[in-house]
Amino acid sequence: MKKATSLLFLILFSTLQAQNSLPQDYFSNPLDVPIVLAGTFGELRSNHFHSGLDIKTQQREGLEVKASAAGYVSRINFQHYGYGKALYIQHPNGYTTVYGHLQKLAPKIKEYLRKQQYAKESYEIELFPEPGELSVEQGELIAYSGNTGGSGGPHLHFEIRDGSQRPMNAQMFGLEVPDSRKPIIQGLFAYPLGDDAHVNNSQARQKLNLIPLNDGTYTVNQVEACGEIGFGISTVDQLDGAYNHNGVFRIEANLNGDQVFEIDFDKFSFAETRHLNQLIDYEYYANNRSRVQKLFKTPNNPLSIYGNLSEEGKLNIKDSLDYQYTIKVTDFKGNERTVRIPIKGQISDNIKKREQKATDYLASASDGLSAKGEKIDVYIPGGSLYEDAYLDINFTDDMVEVHKDEIPVHKNFTIGFDVSDYPAEEREYLFIARLSDYGRPNYSTTYKKGNRFTTGTRTFGKYTLVKDTTAPQVRPVNFYDGQWISTNETLKVKISDDLSGIDAYRATVNGKFILMEYEYKNNTLTHYFSDNVLTETENDLKLIVTDNVGNTNTYTAKFFRK
Ligand SMILES: [Zn+2]
């Protein structure tokens, strides 16, 4: 007894030590408002785990963003998509903090950036200032919060990364995020995995009905199964003061009291983030838009977030034996939700067989697949798929359907089109598009070499050639040709393209480059007169906007300023 107690103490102590080895008072809240999260670390997103905390900014932009600790600005990355306007601070203790979707930078840093943007004549830019160039104190104003890049509403994306640029759960560093609510279980599924395995007389995935109990836990009706099976769970967490469905911190499962599975959202690397598609039931997500996390590990899965697994989390259910499988879902604050699943081992000779989906195209995970139609070919290299799979591939004259987006693809496969039937002048306007479920064409980066067009993609679906002969549209927003606009702080223009999409834009005034910031979400280009690059009274604006096949609109207008 004494031995068991001291062992328990040792385990508890070492767990605490591991957590305490992270600095707890080093990083401060980068905002002046209390932290309320719209997104947690490790949350399941499209093709990636969320790498930071999404901190709410009272539904508005322009909140002051402060350095979370002293250090120096080590990277400034401005992109149309992704993090939008992002700032990185390197700290003396070896960690890096990241601030994303910013509206604008604080004056000192902005000045440094503007110089470089004008030198490069580009809004999109990536800079790595040297130590000492842009030092900041803890709590110093570094930026204003915004909604730039791939952001669905105003918030601050905040990350803490380790020395290998691996994002870590920033909540582990003592940032206070109130949460007294238990995780929510949205769905529970059983998977027959072995060739002869079955669950409730079927070899197909089974949705189990959750039965809530008075003590806040869940159970399900007894599951009858035999052979190798696994489970999957759809779960989210809600924090205090927010309606958002966020990610949980830990999921554990045990069988008859022994732990068989664990996953912890504490840290990961960007190299592994796309393997999220192996954690979730991708096919279920494709058809139901709900992410079920598999509580067992599939082959070729390098995710580092798994803890102790026994038999990769799979259960071997034997006839005539009883089992109790228990899932415990925990949020960062330790609020937990338990689901108990009674399993009865029972061989059945009346089982609904797994659907056989054999096609002409068996793609191997290791060797890939080549397929050829008359004018179109598909090349899937080895390592693109996680598991061998029969693919449905259908060629027509100018379209190929490469399966459905129900199987995850890890690395690019190539689709090639022979365009020799099209006259040269028509080819210029053609591009390869992926058709959405509703048939809307989305530009897929198209490489053109003589008669052959190719594209690389990581999404299965329908691909076809589309012709775009219309140049982008340009429309002034806050001025008109010939106007006096001395009191304007900005020059705003809307740009849009009907089919292939905007590729490039370049604005000059009186022949000199002016910086315009592009925000794709509202199709707007903005120049800030505070850049102080315009000195004349009479100004000739020339804006050239090009779409992805090269159609160009050259817009000119005159404006006056004093
Ligand atoms: Zn975020």
Side-chain angles (χ1 to χ4, degrees), residues 387-525:
E387 293 175 74
D388 298 352
Y390 281 107
L391 303 182
D392 265 321
I393 303 181
N394 295 300
F395 295 97
T396 54
D397 282 352
D398 58 356
M399 186 167 82
V400 60
E401 187 173 7
V402 189
H403 206 75
K404 281 200 189 78
D405 182 22
E406 287 179 346
I407 294 178
V409 181
H410 192 72
K411 65 180 199 195
N412 271 353
F413 65 97
T414 306
I415 304 173
F417 286 78
D418 174 354
V419 296
S420 52
D421 286 352
Y422 294 88
E425 59 273 21
E426 200 179 336
R427 277 179 219 164
E428 275 182 46
Y429 300 108
L430 291 176
F431 65 95
I432 301 173
R434 178 176 191 274
L435 295 180
S436 75
D437 292 346
Y438 310 102
R440 220 183 74 91
N442 292 305
Y443 177 77
S444 188
T445 306
T446 306
Y447 302 95
K448 303 182 170 184
K449 204 172 176 189
N451 286 340
R452 188 171 161 76
F453 289 8
T454 56
T455 191
T457 172
R458 295 197 280 188
T459 310
F460 282 156
K462 288 178 183 163
Y463 289 83
T464 189
L465 290 172
V466 174
K467 192 158 69 170
D468 180 0
T469 54
T470 313
Q473 288 201 328
V474 177
R475 189 168 60 78
V477 175
N478 61 352
F479 69 100
Y480 55 81
D481 190 17
Q483 196 184 6
W484 276 87
I485 50 170
S486 301
T487 55
N488 276 26
E489 289 175 6
T490 61
L491 193 71
K492 275 187 196 292
V493 172
K494 290 245 186 212
I495 60 172
S496 59
D497 189 66
D498 60 336
L499 276 173
S500 63
I502 302 289
D503 175 46
Y505 55 89
R506 182 183 160 79
T508 57
V509 167
N510 300 336
K512 251 174 47 189
F513 169 83
I514 62 161
L515 182 65
M516 294 198 91
E517 304 192 342
Y518 177 48
E519 180 48 59
Y520 76 92
K521 294 195 293 291
N522 54 21
N523 305 310
T524 305
L525 285 175

Side-chain angles (χ1 to χ4, degrees), residues 50 54 155 157:
H50 188 230
D54 281 346
H155 73 277
H157 173 95

Side-chain angles (χ1 to χ4, degrees), residues 210-222:
L210 289 160
I211 303 166
L213 300 178
N214 286 335
D215 61 357
T217 66
Y218 285 95
T219 188
V220 298
N221 290 325
Q222 186 177 62

